[in-house]
Amino acid sequence: MEIIFATANKNKLIEAQKHLGEAFNLITPADLGFDDEIPETCPTIRENAIQKAQFIWDKFRKNCFADDTGLEIDALNGAPGVYSARYSGEPKDPRRNVALVLDQLKNTPDNERTARFRCAIALILDGNLHVFEGICEGIITRQCSGIEGFGYDPIFIPNGFDKTMAQMTLDEKNLISHRGKALTLLKDFLQK
Ligand code: IMP
């Protein structure tokens, strides 16, 4: 099955293709000649995912899905949340975002460093909208560790592990991550 994944993020594409497997051929807006940024201006992750999928459906009228993800840190009252991509300002810079989070948490004790990734995947199949969500609970470290993954992975240790998401293989991350959980729901739905 060919389906558009409405993203310009190569890491997300790799995670999704690996998780969904060969039965699904993921193409991106760039593959169809669209290189502009897809708007994500909504106040919630769920609405942003829907906005991105709807934008691509309106443009191409092809089955598509979009992912929006945020990191919610309890000691920062849920920030960066829906603003995760641009937390430290424009232009988007994941390293600067990570540095800002570590700085803001420098006086936060270990037991108050709880956080979660929240991922929403919006699918538009034959014009009908379906939304799948995945959450991964964990804690924020005091320094970066690991070189895999992307974004906030080097400072996030999922509950039950003693390493960051950036120290996991792709398969390990997909098994327990927010996106992996949402992709499992998406895959189950599409296979039905
Ligand atoms: P968006 O969903 O592309 O808007 O991403 C929001 C922000 O969260 C960006 O800064 C991403 O780098 C980061 N992000 C998204 N997914 C992940 C993930 O799986 N691990 C770590 N950071 C992520």
Side-chain angles (χ1 to χ4, degrees):
M1 177 185 186
E2 185 173 280
I3 186 161
I4 304 176
F5 184 11
T7 188
N9 182 323
K10 292 211 165 52
N11 291 288
K12 283 188 183 179
L13 178 65
I14 292 167
E15 286 184 12
Q17 186 64 74
K18 186 93 197 277
H19 195 290
L20 295 176
E22 284 176 3
F24 298 90
N25 179 26
L26 299 188
I27 56 172
T28 64
D31 294 330
L32 300 172
F34 182 81
D35 285 313
D36 294 353
E37 201 153 332
I38 303 169
E40 44 178 337
T41 55
C42 297
T44 66
I45 283 158
R46 184 186 172 92
E47 288 167 289
N48 264 345
I50 295 171
Q51 182 186 29
K52 289 192 264 190
Q54 191 68 52
F55 180 88
I56 292 301
W57 170 265
D58 290 344
K59 208 161 185 54
F60 297 105
R61 297 275 153 183
K62 283 181 192 282
N63 293 334
C64 61
F65 69 92
D67 151 310
D68 199 58
T69 297
L71 176 64
E72 300 171 350
I73 300 173
D74 294 324
L76 301 178
N77 298 316
V82 73
Y83 305 108
S84 293
R86 295 173 175 78
Y87 192 45
S88 62
E90 296 280 1
K92 286 197 258 188
D93 184 338
R95 282 176 184 225
R96 201 176 58 216
N97 291 341
V98 162
L100 177 58
V101 165
L102 289 180
D103 187 58
Q104 288 182 322
L105 293 186
K106 66 177 184 283
N107 296 322
T108 304
D110 289 351
N111 63 344
E112 290 176 22
R113 301 177 75 88
T114 49
R116 70 206 50 79
F117 278 115
R118 185 183 299 278
C119 172
I121 289 180
L123 166 73
I124 302 185
L125 188 70
D126 302 328
N128 297 312
L129 173 70
H130 310 269
V131 182
F132 310 96
E133 294 183 328
I135 291 175
C136 182
E137 300 278 349
I139 56 154
I140 303 296
T141 57
R142 292 189 178 274
Q143 60 192 25
C144 290
S145 301
I147 55 166
E148 306 299 328
F150 66 101
Y152 297 94
D153 281 344
I155 58 166
F156 185 85
I157 299 182
N159 284 354
F161 290 81
D162 58 3
K163 58 185 176 183
T164 68
M165 272 187 170
Q167 293 173 304
M168 296 183 167
T169 64
L170 189 54
D171 285 337
E172 275 181 301
K173 179 181 172 185
N174 261 343
L175 215 52
I176 52 116
S177 79
H178 45 296
R179 184 167 305 99
K181 290 174 183 167
L183 284 167
T184 298
L185 297 174
L186 171 73
K187 187 175 179 180
D188 288 351
F189 178 83
L190 288 173
Q191 281 174 337
K192 274 181 206 146

